[in-house]
Amino acid sequence: MIRKWAAGLVVLALGLTGCGGDAAEVAAPDRGLVGIAMPTKQSPRWIGDGENMVAQFGLLGYDTSLQYADDDTALQVSQIQQMIDDGAKALVIGAIDGTKLTGVLAAAAAAKVPVISYDRLIRGTENIDYYATFDNFKVGVQQAGYIVQALRLARGGGPYTLELFAGSADDNNATFFFNGAMSVLQPYINDGILDVASGETSFATVATQRWDGKVAKERMARLLAGTYADERVDAVLSPYDGITRGIIEALTEGGYAPTALPVLTGQDAELDSVKLIAAGQQGQTVYKDTRELAKVAVQMVNALVTGGEPMVNDTKQYNNGVKDVPTFLLQPVTVTKDNYQRVLVDGGYYTAAEIGV
Ligand code: GAL
C-alpha cells in the first residue's frame, strides 16, 4: 500500500520536474511525529534500540523525537509530556520505573496519543495500547539452563554453591527473568544440589537497583568477604551483562583468576561482555536482537496511525495490574563461546574485528 503510494509520488515528481525528475528528491509521505522515550544510555542496547527505530520510522515517513532520560524518572515524564505537547502521533516508551508514568499517560490518552510499551511493561495504567518485548520468562530459563548445563547437574555431582542476582525491582522484566531462572534452579536448590550459601534467595534481597553494575559489585564483594571467605562460589546467576561485569570485577579483586571464574550468565550480548565470553571469562549471555524489536514497535505504531491493527502473538501473559496488554513476544537466543560467532558475527550484529577475535 505504502509502496504503491510512493510510486505514485515518483510519477508526480517526474511530471512536475519534467524529465529531469530525481527519485531521490521525492518526499517520503509525511506521517507526523513519533516520540521515542528511552531510559538511559548507560546500557548500549538502548542506544541501538533508539537508532534502529529512528531509521525504520524515517523510511516510513515519520519524524521522530528520540530522548534518553538518564535513568531519571522525573526527566522521563517531562520528556514524554513534551512529546505530547509537540503533537506526537504515537509514543514508544522504554520505561525507567514502570509504575511512575500514570499521570503523563493520562495526558497522552486525553490527547488521543497511542502508547507502545517498549521492552519493559508499563504498569498501573489503562493508557497503554500494546507491548513489544522478548519472552522475558524464557530469558531466565535460558540463563539458569546454562548454569545447569555448565555444572553438568543432569549427570549428578555437586553440591555446588550458587549466588543469585536479579535486576531492578521497579522493572517488570526483572521479576520475569528471576521467576524464569528460579523455575529451573529451585528444584536443584530444594534437593541440596545447589546451595545458595548466603541464604539470600528472595527477589527483594537479590534485586539490583537500576541494573547498576556498581551496586552488584558491592554486593558480590560483601558475599565474598563473608559467606565465601573460606569457600568458593561455583556459579552466579546474573540477569544482565552490566551486572555480570560488576560481579567479575568483585571476583577478580577478591582473588579469583580471570581464567577460573564461577559459571556466569548475562543478558543483552553487550560488546564488552561478548569479548569476555570469547576470552572464556563470562560463560553465557542472552542475545535479543534489538533490530527486530524495533521493527515490531514500528509496525505497531504504523498500524495504529494508519488505521490498521498491530500484530500480536500473546494476549495473556502480561497483565499490568489494570489490564492484559496485547503483546508481541520475540524469542531470545542463548549465546556462549560455542555459538557467538555464528549468532552474532554471521548474524551481522557485530563484526569479528569489533569482538577482537
Ligand atoms: C531490561 C531489559 C534487559 C536489559 C536491562 C538493563 O529491562 O529487558 O534487556 O537491557 O533492562 O538495561
Side-chain angles (χ1 to χ4, degrees), residues 223-289:
L223 295 175
L224 291 176
T227 311
Y228 295 96
D230 300 314
E231 77 178 314
R232 196 186 139 77
V233 57
D234 296 313
V236 182
L237 171 77
S238 165
Y240 156 62
D241 286 346
I243 289 179
T244 317
R245 290 196 298 275
I247 292 169
I248 290 177
E249 274 180 38
L251 287 163
T252 50
E253 285 171 21
Y256 285 68
T259 47
L261 292 172
V263 173
L264 290 162
T265 62
Q267 177 177 197
D268 281 356
E270 292 190 353
L271 185 57
D272 285 344
S273 297
V274 175
K275 289 179 182 175
L276 292 170
I277 288 177
Q281 296 190 30
Q282 178 175 328
Q284 182 258 12
T285 188
V286 177
Y287 167 55
K288 305 196 303 192
D289 189 339

Side-chain angles (χ1 to χ4, degrees), residues 43 45-46 119-120 171 173 177 211 240 267-268 288:
S43 147
R45 65 153 293 179
W46 301 112
D119 194 273
R120 299 172 171 176
D171 180 345
N173 287 356
F177 302 149
W211 302 91
Y240 156 62
Q267 177 177 197
D268 281 356
K288 305 196 303 192

Side-chain angles (χ1 to χ4, degrees), residues 284-304:
Q284 182 258 12
T285 188
V286 177
Y287 167 55
K288 305 196 303 192
D289 189 339
T290 51
R291 297 167 300 188
E292 294 303 315
L293 189 59
K295 271 188 212 159
V296 171
V298 170
Q299 168 272 128
M300 285 176 165
V301 166
N302 193 48
L304 288 169

